[in-house]
Amino acid sequence: ALQPDAIEQVVTEAVRLKAEVVALDEKEGGVRSTLNFGHTIGHAIEGLASPQLLHGECVSIGCVYEAVLARDLGQLAPSAVGRISRVFKAYGLPTTCPLKYLRLDELMGKMALDKKNAAGRVRVTILKSIGSSFDHPQPVDTALIRRLLSPSLLVLPPAAPPSGAVLVPGSKSISNRVLLMAAMGRGTVAIRGLLQSDD
């Protein structure tokens, strides 16, 4: 169960940090944009899900998706994505968007109107590690965002079986991809360091 004293301490510290960042960058010229982590995707979801989902719940979902985006861009370690997701879950926050709100064209339309965009490009606060991001939101290819938010993917067999070595980090999603690659291979496939999960 959530402990009221711990929640109060976390919220107080979050408000203090936000006030400190805003004071450093009153006109949103740099570091203040880090406060937008989770908001590009979160606001789009909120535009479809409100009032059924609260602002904070939508931003929680957005944070997890934007962490995955940072990982896919090669900026954030896969283990950090898992940690972010686990922490939000521990506080009872949602980490995935309900399928009924995953209406890609509508979500992308909402993101196209985001105040952080520039030169017609969707821009997202990209984490480099937990607690560290680029000073300014980064332009991101909308095809990458669409793929991230897509409720389903079509998997096609490769022209030739994959070969080579893949390092398996402590991430369930990467481990699942390695299993899929192993299933498409031919001959003996050895997997070491695979993350195991009860779910």
Side-chain angles (χ1 to χ4, degrees):
L2 296 178
Q3 300 172 355
D5 290 344
I7 296 290
E8 182 178 346
Q9 183 179 353
V10 168
V11 170
T12 300
E13 181 65 5
V15 169
R16 185 191 69 76
L17 287 170
K18 180 172 182 177
E20 185 178 302
V21 170
V22 170
L24 288 171
D25 184 12
E26 291 182 18
K27 299 185 190 274
E28 290 197 63
V31 69
R32 187 170 172 181
S33 69
T34 60
L35 298 175
N36 290 318
F37 173 57
H39 283 69
T40 302
I41 293 175
H43 278 158
I45 292 169
E46 184 177 12
L48 300 183
S50 180
Q52 286 74 30
L53 291 178
L54 301 173
H55 171 74
E57 293 171 322
C58 294
V59 171
S60 170
I61 295 166
C63 285
V64 174
Y65 281 124
E66 291 181 21
V68 172
L69 188 61
R71 181 203 66 201
D72 290 351
L73 291 169
Q75 298 298 330
L76 184 64
S79 58
V81 178
R83 184 174 176 204
I84 289 167
S85 180
R86 287 190 302 276
V87 167
F88 287 178
K89 284 180 182 175
Y91 281 97
L93 292 166
T95 56
T96 58
C97 184
L99 281 175
K100 64 184 174 180
Y101 304 123
L102 281 178
R103 302 193 299 269
L104 286 181
D105 290 337
E106 292 176 68
L107 288 169
M108 297 309 297
K110 301 251 181 229
M111 277 182 251
L113 303 174
D114 191 278
K115 68 177 183 177
K116 295 182 298 301
N117 295 347
R121 303 279 312 271
V122 172
R123 298 190 327 144
V124 180
T125 298
I126 300 295
L127 291 186
K128 295 191 261 186
S129 63
I130 292 175
S132 173
S133 72
F134 288 92
D135 283 346
H136 298 280
Q138 301 296 301
V140 176
D141 186 349
T142 54
L144 187 59
I145 298 173
R146 289 183 76 90
R147 188 167 64 240
L148 172 69
L149 295 176
S150 179
S152 62
L153 294 174
L154 178 62
V155 179
L156 300 173
S163 63
V166 177
L167 297 176
V168 183
S171 162
K172 187 170 63 174
S173 63
I174 298 296
S175 294
N176 289 341
R177 291 180 186 133
V178 169
L179 286 171
L180 183 60
M181 289 175 63
M184 293 187 297
R186 289 191 189 133
T188 302
V189 177
I191 303 175
R192 287 185 288 280
L194 193 67
L195 182 70
Q196 299 200 10
S197 174
D198 292 337
D199 63 354

mmCIF file of all heavy atoms in Angstrom, residues 80-128:
data_model
loop_
_atom_site.group_PDB
_atom_site.id
_atom_site.type_symbol
_atom_site.label_atom_id
_atom_site.label_comp_id
_atom_site.label_asym_id
_atom_site.label_seq_id
_atom_site.Cartn_x
_atom_site.Cartn_y
_atom_site.Cartn_z
ATOM 1 N N ALA A 80 17.164 1.247 -17.813
ATOM 2 C CA ALA A 80 16.530 2.460 -17.282
ATOM 3 C C ALA A 80 15.042 2.486 -17.623
ATOM 4 O O ALA A 80 14.228 2.951 -16.818
ATOM 5 C CB ALA A 80 17.228 3.703 -17.830
ATOM 6 N N VAL A 81 14.686 1.979 -18.809
ATOM 7 C CA VAL A 81 13.268 1.924 -19.195
ATOM 8 C C VAL A 81 12.498 1.061 -18.207
ATOM 9 O O VAL A 81 11.428 1.442 -17.718
ATOM 10 C CB VAL A 81 13.091 1.389 -20.628
ATOM 11 C CG1 VAL A 81 11.611 1.288 -20.984
ATOM 12 C CG2 VAL A 81 13.824 2.262 -21.631
ATOM 13 N N GLY A 82 13.050 -0.109 -17.899
ATOM 14 C CA GLY A 82 12.406 -1.008 -16.940
ATOM 15 C C GLY A 82 12.280 -0.379 -15.568
ATOM 16 O O GLY A 82 11.256 -0.522 -14.905
ATOM 17 N N ARG A 83 13.310 0.332 -15.153
ATOM 18 C CA ARG A 83 13.277 0.962 -13.825
ATOM 19 C C ARG A 83 12.201 2.048 -13.764
ATOM 20 O O ARG A 83 11.445 2.142 -12.793
ATOM 21 C CB ARG A 83 14.645 1.550 -13.496
ATOM 22 C CG ARG A 83 14.709 2.135 -12.111
ATOM 23 C CD ARG A 83 16.098 2.578 -11.740
ATOM 24 N NE ARG A 83 16.085 3.219 -10.438
ATOM 25 C CZ ARG A 83 16.991 4.083 -10.040
ATOM 26 N NH1 ARG A 83 17.993 4.402 -10.808
ATOM 27 N NH2 ARG A 83 16.901 4.624 -8.848
ATOM 28 N N ILE A 84 12.123 2.875 -14.810
ATOM 29 C CA ILE A 84 11.109 3.933 -14.849
ATOM 30 C C ILE A 84 9.719 3.318 -14.772
ATOM 31 O O ILE A 84 8.868 3.762 -14.003
ATOM 32 C CB ILE A 84 11.277 4.781 -16.133
ATOM 33 C CG1 ILE A 84 12.542 5.643 -16.032
ATOM 34 C CG2 ILE A 84 10.045 5.650 -16.385
ATOM 35 C CD1 ILE A 84 12.976 6.270 -17.340
ATOM 36 N N SER A 85 9.489 2.290 -15.559
ATOM 37 C CA SER A 85 8.184 1.628 -15.577
ATOM 38 C C SER A 85 7.847 1.031 -14.209
ATOM 39 O O SER A 85 6.736 1.189 -13.708
ATOM 40 C CB SER A 85 8.177 0.544 -16.657
ATOM 41 O OG SER A 85 6.929 -0.099 -16.689
ATOM 42 N N ARG A 86 8.812 0.372 -13.588
ATOM 43 C CA ARG A 86 8.569 -0.259 -12.283
ATOM 44 C C ARG A 86 8.259 0.781 -11.203
ATOM 45 O O ARG A 86 7.398 0.568 -10.354
ATOM 46 C CB ARG A 86 9.764 -1.120 -11.871
ATOM 47 C CG ARG A 86 9.882 -2.415 -12.651
ATOM 48 C CD ARG A 86 10.926 -3.349 -12.049
ATOM 49 N NE ARG A 86 12.257 -2.750 -11.986
ATOM 50 C CZ ARG A 86 13.136 -2.735 -12.974
ATOM 51 N NH1 ARG A 86 12.827 -3.278 -14.146
ATOM 52 N NH2 ARG A 86 14.331 -2.192 -12.816
ATOM 53 N N VAL A 87 8.972 1.904 -11.231
ATOM 54 C CA VAL A 87 8.730 2.952 -10.217
ATOM 55 C C VAL A 87 7.320 3.512 -10.367
ATOM 56 O O VAL A 87 6.596 3.669 -9.377
ATOM 57 C CB VAL A 87 9.792 4.076 -10.330
ATOM 58 C CG1 VAL A 87 9.376 5.301 -9.517
ATOM 59 C CG2 VAL A 87 11.146 3.571 -9.846
ATOM 60 N N PHE A 88 6.902 3.801 -11.605
ATOM 61 C CA PHE A 88 5.551 4.326 -11.806
ATOM 62 C C PHE A 88 4.496 3.306 -11.378
ATOM 63 O O PHE A 88 3.499 3.678 -10.757
ATOM 64 C CB PHE A 88 5.344 4.735 -13.261
ATOM 65 C CG PHE A 88 6.071 6.007 -13.659
ATOM 66 C CD1 PHE A 88 6.011 6.472 -14.950
ATOM 67 C CD2 PHE A 88 6.819 6.724 -12.747
ATOM 68 C CE1 PHE A 88 6.669 7.641 -15.322
ATOM 69 C CE2 PHE A 88 7.486 7.894 -13.101
ATOM 70 C CZ PHE A 88 7.405 8.352 -14.390
ATOM 71 N N LYS A 89 4.720 2.055 -11.702
ATOM 72 C CA LYS A 89 3.778 1.004 -11.282
ATOM 73 C C LYS A 89 3.705 0.918 -9.761
ATOM 74 O O LYS A 89 2.629 0.717 -9.195
ATOM 75 C CB LYS A 89 4.187 -0.351 -11.862
ATOM 76 C CG LYS A 89 3.867 -0.519 -13.322
ATOM 77 C CD LYS A 89 4.294 -1.894 -13.813
ATOM 78 C CE LYS A 89 4.028 -2.045 -15.294
ATOM 79 N NZ LYS A 89 4.541 -3.321 -15.822
ATOM 80 N N ALA A 90 4.851 1.070 -9.104
ATOM 81 C CA ALA A 90 4.879 0.996 -7.639
ATOM 82 C C ALA A 90 4.038 2.094 -7.000
ATOM 83 O O ALA A 90 3.513 1.923 -5.904
ATOM 84 C CB ALA A 90 6.326 1.083 -7.138
ATOM 85 N N TYR A 91 3.893 3.225 -7.695
ATOM 86 C CA TYR A 91 3.056 4.322 -7.200
ATOM 87 C C TYR A 91 1.617 4.220 -7.714
ATOM 88 O O TYR A 91 0.818 5.132 -7.542
ATOM 89 C CB TYR A 91 3.657 5.681 -7.578
ATOM 90 C CG TYR A 91 4.791 6.076 -6.665
ATOM 91 C CD1 TYR A 91 6.114 5.846 -7.033
ATOM 92 C CD2 TYR A 91 4.545 6.649 -5.422
ATOM 93 C CE1 TYR A 91 7.158 6.190 -6.182
ATOM 94 C CE2 TYR A 91 5.578 6.999 -4.575
ATOM 95 C CZ TYR A 91 6.882 6.767 -4.956
ATOM 96 O OH TYR A 91 7.913 7.102 -4.122
ATOM 97 N N GLY A 92 1.292 3.098 -8.342
ATOM 98 C CA GLY A 92 -0.075 2.880 -8.807
ATOM 99 C C GLY A 92 -0.431 3.648 -10.071
ATOM 100 O O GLY A 92 -1.615 3.834 -10.371
ATOM 101 N N LEU A 93 0.575 4.087 -10.814
ATOM 102 C CA LEU A 93 0.335 4.839 -12.049
ATOM 103 C C LEU A 93 0.324 3.906 -13.255
ATOM 104 O O LEU A 93 1.047 2.911 -13.289
ATOM 105 C CB LEU A 93 1.420 5.908 -12.228
ATOM 106 C CG LEU A 93 1.377 7.042 -11.209
ATOM 107 C CD1 LEU A 93 2.658 7.860 -11.246
ATOM 108 C CD2 LEU A 93 0.163 7.923 -11.452
ATOM 109 N N PRO A 94 -0.462 4.223 -14.269
ATOM 110 C CA PRO A 94 -0.478 3.385 -15.478
ATOM 111 C C PRO A 94 0.802 3.590 -16.291
ATOM 112 O O PRO A 94 1.397 4.684 -16.262
ATOM 113 C CB PRO A 94 -1.703 3.896 -16.251
ATOM 114 C CG PRO A 94 -1.874 5.312 -15.806
ATOM 115 C CD PRO A 94 -1.396 5.357 -14.369
ATOM 116 N N THR A 95 1.217 2.560 -17.005
ATOM 117 C CA THR A 95 2.447 2.647 -17.806
ATOM 118 C C THR A 95 2.210 2.282 -19.279
ATOM 119 O O THR A 95 3.130 2.373 -20.076
ATOM 120 C CB THR A 95 3.540 1.724 -17.232
ATOM 121 O OG1 THR A 95 3.033 0.391 -17.159
ATOM 122 C CG2 THR A 95 3.962 2.189 -15.836
ATOM 123 N N THR A 96 1.009 1.867 -19.602
ATOM 124 C CA THR A 96 0.661 1.588 -20.997
ATOM 125 C C THR A 96 -0.682 2.239 -21.299
ATOM 126 O O THR A 96 -1.529 2.378 -20.419
ATOM 127 C CB THR A 96 0.565 0.075 -21.294
ATOM 128 O OG1 THR A 96 -0.402 -0.510 -20.426
ATOM 129 C CG2 THR A 96 1.907 -0.621 -21.108
ATOM 130 N N CYS A 97 -0.850 2.601 -22.555
ATOM 131 C CA CYS A 97 -2.086 3.263 -22.963
ATOM 132 C C CYS A 97 -3.167 2.224 -23.235
ATOM 133 O O CYS A 97 -2.921 1.253 -23.959
ATOM 134 C CB CYS A 97 -1.828 4.085 -24.222
ATOM 135 S SG CYS A 97 -3.256 5.036 -24.762
ATOM 136 N N PRO A 98 -4.365 2.386 -22.668
ATOM 137 C CA PRO A 98 -5.458 1.468 -22.993
ATOM 138 C C PRO A 98 -5.699 1.451 -24.509
ATOM 139 O O PRO A 98 -5.638 2.488 -25.174
ATOM 140 C CB PRO A 98 -6.655 2.064 -22.247
ATOM 141 C CG PRO A 98 -6.052 2.852 -21.126
ATOM 142 C CD PRO A 98 -4.771 3.400 -21.677
ATOM 143 N N LEU A 99 -5.949 0.266 -25.045
ATOM 144 C CA LEU A 99 -6.089 0.091 -26.494
ATOM 145 C C LEU A 99 -7.126 1.026 -27.111
ATOM 146 O O LEU A 99 -6.944 1.494 -28.234
ATOM 147 C CB LEU A 99 -6.444 -1.360 -26.821
ATOM 148 C CG LEU A 99 -5.297 -2.365 -26.799
ATOM 149 C CD1 LEU A 99 -5.817 -3.775 -27.025
ATOM 150 C CD2 LEU A 99 -4.241 -2.014 -27.842
ATOM 151 N N LYS A 100 -8.199 1.319 -26.378
ATOM 152 C CA LYS A 100 -9.258 2.140 -26.973
ATOM 153 C C LYS A 100 -8.790 3.562 -27.280
ATOM 154 O O LYS A 100 -9.423 4.274 -28.063
ATOM 155 C CB LYS A 100 -10.503 2.169 -26.089
ATOM 156 C CG LYS A 100 -10.319 2.808 -24.724
ATOM 157 C CD LYS A 100 -11.604 2.679 -23.927
ATOM 158 C CE LYS A 100 -11.456 3.169 -22.507
ATOM 159 N NZ LYS A 100 -12.706 3.033 -21.759
ATOM 160 N N TYR A 101 -7.652 3.990 -26.688
ATOM 161 C CA TYR A 101 -7.121 5.321 -26.975
ATOM 162 C C TYR A 101 -5.943 5.290 -27.948
ATOM 163 O O TYR A 101 -5.424 6.341 -28.312
ATOM 164 C CB TYR A 101 -6.690 6.023 -25.675
ATOM 165 C CG TYR A 101 -7.796 6.115 -24.662
ATOM 166 C CD1 TYR A 101 -7.650 5.587 -23.391
ATOM 167 C CD2 TYR A 101 -9.013 6.717 -24.977
ATOM 168 C CE1 TYR A 101 -8.670 5.661 -22.454
ATOM 169 C CE2 TYR A 101 -10.038 6.793 -24.060
ATOM 170 C CZ TYR A 101 -9.862 6.259 -22.796
ATOM 171 O OH TYR A 101 -10.881 6.329 -21.872
ATOM 172 N N LEU A 102 -5.518 4.105 -28.351
ATOM 173 C CA LEU A 102 -4.402 3.994 -29.300
ATOM 174 C C LEU A 102 -4.918 4.161 -30.726
ATOM 175 O O LEU A 102 -4.811 3.262 -31.555
ATOM 176 C CB LEU A 102 -3.672 2.656 -29.122
ATOM 177 C CG LEU A 102 -2.706 2.588 -27.951
ATOM 178 C CD1 LEU A 102 -2.083 1.200 -27.841
ATOM 179 C CD2 LEU A 102 -1.614 3.653 -28.053
ATOM 180 N N ARG A 103 -5.460 5.329 -31.000
ATOM 181 C CA ARG A 103 -5.946 5.666 -32.339
ATOM 182 C C ARG A 103 -4.859 6.537 -32.972
ATOM 183 O O ARG A 103 -4.777 7.750 -32.725
ATOM 184 C CB ARG A 103 -7.298 6.369 -32.238
ATOM 185 C CG ARG A 103 -8.341 5.499 -31.499
ATOM 186 C CD ARG A 103 -9.761 6.005 -31.644
ATOM 187 N NE ARG A 103 -10.013 7.329 -31.123
ATOM 188 C CZ ARG A 103 -10.423 7.599 -29.871
ATOM 189 N NH1 ARG A 103 -10.614 6.609 -29.004
ATOM 190 N NH2 ARG A 103 -10.656 8.848 -29.491
ATOM 191 N N LEU A 104 -3.996 5.881 -33.745
ATOM 192 C CA LEU A 104 -2.745 6.493 -34.188
ATOM 193 C C LEU A 104 -2.919 7.829 -34.897
ATOM 194 O O LEU A 104 -2.213 8.795 -34.592
ATOM 195 C CB LEU A 104 -1.963 5.525 -35.082
ATOM 196 C CG LEU A 104 -1.285 4.366 -34.352
ATOM 197 C CD1 LEU A 104 -0.535 3.486 -35.333
ATOM 198 C CD2 LEU A 104 -0.329 4.887 -33.304
ATOM 199 N N ASP A 105 -3.829 7.884 -35.862
ATOM 200 C CA ASP A 105 -3.979 9.134 -36.622
ATOM 201 C C ASP A 105 -4.385 10.284 -35.713
ATOM 202 O O ASP A 105 -3.883 11.405 -35.850
ATOM 203 C CB ASP A 105 -4.982 8.958 -37.766
ATOM 204 C CG ASP A 105 -4.445 8.062 -38.870
ATOM 205 O OD1 ASP A 105 -3.204 7.936 -38.977
ATOM 206 O OD2 ASP A 105 -5.255 7.482 -39.617
ATOM 207 N N GLU A 106 -5.277 10.010 -34.769
ATOM 208 C CA GLU A 106 -5.712 11.061 -33.843
ATOM 209 C C GLU A 106 -4.592 11.463 -32.888
ATOM 210 O O GLU A 106 -4.393 12.651 -32.611
ATOM 211 C CB GLU A 106 -6.947 10.605 -33.060
ATOM 212 C CG GLU A 106 -8.196 10.451 -33.923
ATOM 213 C CD GLU A 106 -9.367 9.909 -33.124
ATOM 214 O OE1 GLU A 106 -9.860 10.646 -32.241
ATOM 215 O OE2 GLU A 106 -9.778 8.763 -33.383
ATOM 216 N N LEU A 107 -3.848 10.482 -32.391
ATOM 217 C CA LEU A 107 -2.724 10.778 -31.499
ATOM 218 C C LEU A 107 -1.667 11.609 -32.221
ATOM 219 O O LEU A 107 -1.163 12.601 -31.681
ATOM 220 C CB LEU A 107 -2.098 9.487 -30.961
ATOM 221 C CG LEU A 107 -2.917 8.710 -29.929
ATOM 222 C CD1 LEU A 107 -2.302 7.343 -29.684
ATOM 223 C CD2 LEU A 107 -3.028 9.492 -28.621
ATOM 224 N N MET A 108 -1.340 11.210 -33.453
ATOM 225 C CA MET A 108 -0.328 11.946 -34.213
ATOM 226 C C MET A 108 -0.823 13.364 -34.522
ATOM 227 O O MET A 108 -0.035 14.306 -34.521
ATOM 228 C CB MET A 108 0.033 11.198 -35.496
ATOM 229 C CG MET A 108 0.675 9.824 -35.269
ATOM 230 S SD MET A 108 2.079 9.814 -34.122
ATOM 231 C CE MET A 108 3.243 10.839 -34.992
ATOM 232 N N GLY A 109 -2.115 13.503 -34.782
ATOM 233 C CA GLY A 109 -2.688 14.829 -35.017
ATOM 234 C C GLY A 109 -2.534 15.720 -33.802
ATOM 235 O O GLY A 109 -2.230 16.918 -33.923
ATOM 236 N N LYS A 110 -2.760 15.170 -32.622
ATOM 237 C CA LYS A 110 -2.604 15.946 -31.389
ATOM 238 C C LYS A 110 -1.138 16.327 -31.192
ATOM 239 O O LYS A 110 -0.828 17.455 -30.799
ATOM 240 C CB LYS A 110 -3.097 15.150 -30.188
ATOM 241 C CG LYS A 110 -4.559 14.750 -30.299
ATOM 242 C CD LYS A 110 -5.390 15.530 -29.346
ATOM 243 C CE LYS A 110 -6.840 15.102 -29.465
ATOM 244 N NZ LYS A 110 -7.725 16.238 -29.585
ATOM 245 N N MET A 111 -0.219 15.385 -31.455
ATOM 246 C CA MET A 111 1.209 15.675 -31.293
ATOM 247 C C MET A 111 1.676 16.738 -32.272
ATOM 248 O O MET A 111 2.591 17.516 -31.971
ATOM 249 C CB MET A 111 2.042 14.402 -31.462
ATOM 250 C CG MET A 111 2.123 13.587 -30.196
ATOM 251 S SD MET A 111 3.161 12.143 -30.408
ATOM 252 C CE MET A 111 1.899 10.883 -30.374
ATOM 253 N N ALA A 112 1.077 16.778 -33.445
ATOM 254 C CA ALA A 112 1.462 17.773 -34.454
ATOM 255 C C ALA A 112 1.193 19.195 -33.970
ATOM 256 O O ALA A 112 1.784 20.147 -34.483
ATOM 257 C CB ALA A 112 0.717 17.510 -35.765
ATOM 258 N N LEU A 113 0.324 19.356 -32.972
ATOM 259 C CA LEU A 113 -0.036 20.677 -32.449
ATOM 260 C C LEU A 113 0.749 21.048 -31.183
ATOM 261 O O LEU A 113 0.516 22.104 -30.602
ATOM 262 C CB LEU A 113 -1.541 20.723 -32.147
ATOM 263 C CG LEU A 113 -2.466 20.405 -33.323
ATOM 264 C CD1 LEU A 113 -3.914 20.335 -32.852
ATOM 265 C CD2 LEU A 113 -2.296 21.437 -34.429
ATOM 266 N N ASP A 114 1.673 20.169 -30.769
ATOM 267 C CA ASP A 114 2.399 20.384 -29.520
ATOM 268 C C ASP A 114 3.234 21.663 -29.576
ATOM 269 O O ASP A 114 3.864 21.966 -30.586
ATOM 270 C CB ASP A 114 3.301 19.171 -29.242
ATOM 271 C CG ASP A 114 3.873 19.192 -27.837
ATOM 272 O OD1 ASP A 114 4.887 19.889 -27.632
ATOM 273 O OD2 ASP A 114 3.312 18.523 -26.955
ATOM 274 N N LYS A 115 3.256 22.408 -28.469
ATOM 275 C CA LYS A 115 3.963 23.703 -28.422
ATOM 276 C C LYS A 115 5.475 23.556 -28.572
ATOM 277 O O LYS A 115 6.151 24.534 -28.922
ATOM 278 C CB LYS A 115 3.642 24.429 -27.113
ATOM 279 C CG LYS A 115 4.221 23.756 -25.862
ATOM 280 C CD LYS A 115 3.937 24.547 -24.599
ATOM 281 C CE LYS A 115 4.598 23.875 -23.398
ATOM 282 N NZ LYS A 115 4.392 24.651 -22.172
ATOM 283 N N LYS A 116 6.031 22.375 -28.322
ATOM 284 C CA LYS A 116 7.478 22.188 -28.423
ATOM 285 C C LYS A 116 7.936 21.979 -29.863
ATOM 286 O O LYS A 116 9.132 22.012 -30.139
ATOM 287 C CB LYS A 116 7.908 20.982 -27.576
ATOM 288 C CG LYS A 116 7.687 21.155 -26.090
ATOM 289 C CD LYS A 116 8.170 19.972 -25.287
ATOM 290 C CE LYS A 116 7.469 18.669 -25.581
ATOM 291 N NZ LYS A 116 6.013 18.684 -25.362
ATOM 292 N N ASN A 117 7.017 21.722 -30.774
ATOM 293 C CA ASN A 117 7.388 21.451 -32.163
ATOM 294 C C ASN A 117 8.064 22.658 -32.798
ATOM 295 O O ASN A 117 7.816 23.797 -32.405
ATOM 296 C CB ASN A 117 6.163 21.051 -32.980
ATOM 297 C CG ASN A 117 5.565 19.738 -32.509
ATOM 298 O OD1 ASN A 117 6.172 19.014 -31.743
ATOM 299 N ND2 ASN A 117 4.369 19.444 -32.967
ATOM 300 N N ALA A 118 8.893 22.384 -33.789
ATOM 301 C CA ALA A 118 9.562 23.457 -34.532
ATOM 302 C C ALA A 118 9.800 22.981 -35.957
ATOM 303 O O ALA A 118 10.104 21.797 -36.180
ATOM 304 C CB ALA A 118 10.890 23.825 -33.876
ATOM 305 N N ALA A 119 9.644 23.877 -36.911
ATOM 306 C CA ALA A 119 9.872 23.594 -38.331
ATOM 307 C C ALA A 119 9.064 22.385 -38.794
ATOM 308 O O ALA A 119 9.542 21.566 -39.585
ATOM 309 C CB ALA A 119 11.366 23.386 -38.596
ATOM 310 N N GLY A 120 7.845 22.255 -38.257
ATOM 311 C CA GLY A 120 6.981 21.165 -38.682
ATOM 312 C C GLY A 120 7.377 19.794 -38.167
ATOM 313 O O GLY A 120 6.824 18.781 -38.605
ATOM 314 N N ARG A 121 8.330 19.734 -37.231
ATOM 315 C CA ARG A 121 8.793 18.452 -36.683
ATOM 316 C C ARG A 121 8.279 18.270 -35.257
ATOM 317 O O ARG A 121 8.293 19.208 -34.459
ATOM 318 C CB ARG A 121 10.335 18.388 -36.642
ATOM 319 C CG ARG A 121 11.045 18.594 -37.961
ATOM 320 C CD ARG A 121 11.112 17.364 -38.838
ATOM 321 N NE ARG A 121 11.544 16.148 -38.191
ATOM 322 C CZ ARG A 121 12.824 15.763 -38.101
ATOM 323 N NH1 ARG A 121 13.801 16.534 -38.567
ATOM 324 N NH2 ARG A 121 13.125 14.609 -37.541
ATOM 325 N N VAL A 122 7.833 17.037 -34.947
ATOM 326 C CA VAL A 122 7.467 16.700 -33.567
ATOM 327 C C VAL A 122 8.761 16.620 -32.763
ATOM 328 O O VAL A 122 9.723 15.964 -33.172
ATOM 329 C CB VAL A 122 6.697 15.361 -33.500
ATOM 330 C CG1 VAL A 122 6.487 14.933 -32.058
ATOM 331 C CG2 VAL A 122 5.357 15.477 -34.218
ATOM 332 N N ARG A 123 8.775 17.321 -31.635
ATOM 333 C CA ARG A 123 9.970 17.308 -30.783
ATOM 334 C C ARG A 123 9.601 16.729 -29.414
ATOM 335 O O ARG A 123 8.542 17.006 -28.879
ATOM 336 C CB ARG A 123 10.546 18.716 -30.651
ATOM 337 C CG ARG A 123 10.991 19.268 -32.004
ATOM 338 C CD ARG A 123 11.798 20.549 -31.935
ATOM 339 N NE ARG A 123 11.435 21.435 -30.858
ATOM 340 C CZ ARG A 123 12.315 22.182 -30.176
ATOM 341 N NH1 ARG A 123 13.581 22.146 -30.484
ATOM 342 N NH2 ARG A 123 11.902 22.970 -29.206
ATOM 343 N N VAL A 124 10.526 15.929 -28.890
ATOM 344 C CA VAL A 124 10.298 15.174 -27.661
ATOM 345 C C VAL A 124 11.494 15.369 -26.732
ATOM 346 O O VAL A 124 12.639 15.419 -27.190
ATOM 347 C CB VAL A 124 10.131 13.663 -27.980
ATOM 348 C CG1 VAL A 124 9.902 12.845 -26.715
ATOM 349 C CG2 VAL A 124 8.993 13.442 -28.968
ATOM 350 N N THR A 125 11.234 15.463 -25.430
ATOM 351 C CA THR A 125 12.322 15.483 -24.454
ATOM 352 C C THR A 125 12.917 14.078 -24.386
ATOM 353 O O THR A 125 12.221 13.122 -24.034
ATOM 354 C CB THR A 125 11.815 15.928 -23.069
ATOM 355 O OG1 THR A 125 11.308 17.269 -23.183
ATOM 356 C CG2 THR A 125 12.915 15.908 -22.032
ATOM 357 N N ILE A 126 14.184 13.955 -24.748
ATOM 358 C CA ILE A 126 14.846 12.646 -24.834
ATOM 359 C C ILE A 126 15.795 12.479 -23.653
ATOM 360 O O ILE A 126 16.722 13.268 -23.457
ATOM 361 C CB ILE A 126 15.621 12.503 -26.163
ATOM 362 C CG1 ILE A 126 14.670 12.626 -27.355
ATOM 363 C CG2 ILE A 126 16.418 11.199 -26.208
ATOM 364 C CD1 ILE A 126 13.646 11.515 -27.467
ATOM 365 N N LEU A 127 15.554 11.437 -22.867
ATOM 366 C CA LEU A 127 16.435 11.119 -21.741
ATOM 367 C C LEU A 127 17.748 10.526 -22.222
ATOM 368 O O LEU A 127 17.781 9.755 -23.182
ATOM 369 C CB LEU A 127 15.771 10.107 -20.810
ATOM 370 C CG LEU A 127 14.560 10.529 -19.992
ATOM 371 C CD1 LEU A 127 14.172 9.412 -19.035
ATOM 372 C CD2 LEU A 127 14.810 11.809 -19.225
ATOM 373 N N LYS A 128 18.827 10.872 -21.494
ATOM 374 C CA LYS A 128 20.127 10.224 -21.698
ATOM 375 C C LYS A 128 20.379 9.207 -20.585
ATOM 376 O O LYS A 128 21.084 8.232 -20.771
ATOM 377 C CB LYS A 128 21.237 11.265 -21.733
ATOM 378 C CG LYS A 128 21.120 12.214 -22.915
ATOM 379 C CD LYS A 128 22.373 13.056 -23.055
ATOM 380 C CE LYS A 128 22.161 14.410 -22.443
ATOM 381 N NZ LYS A 128 23.285 15.327 -22.679
#
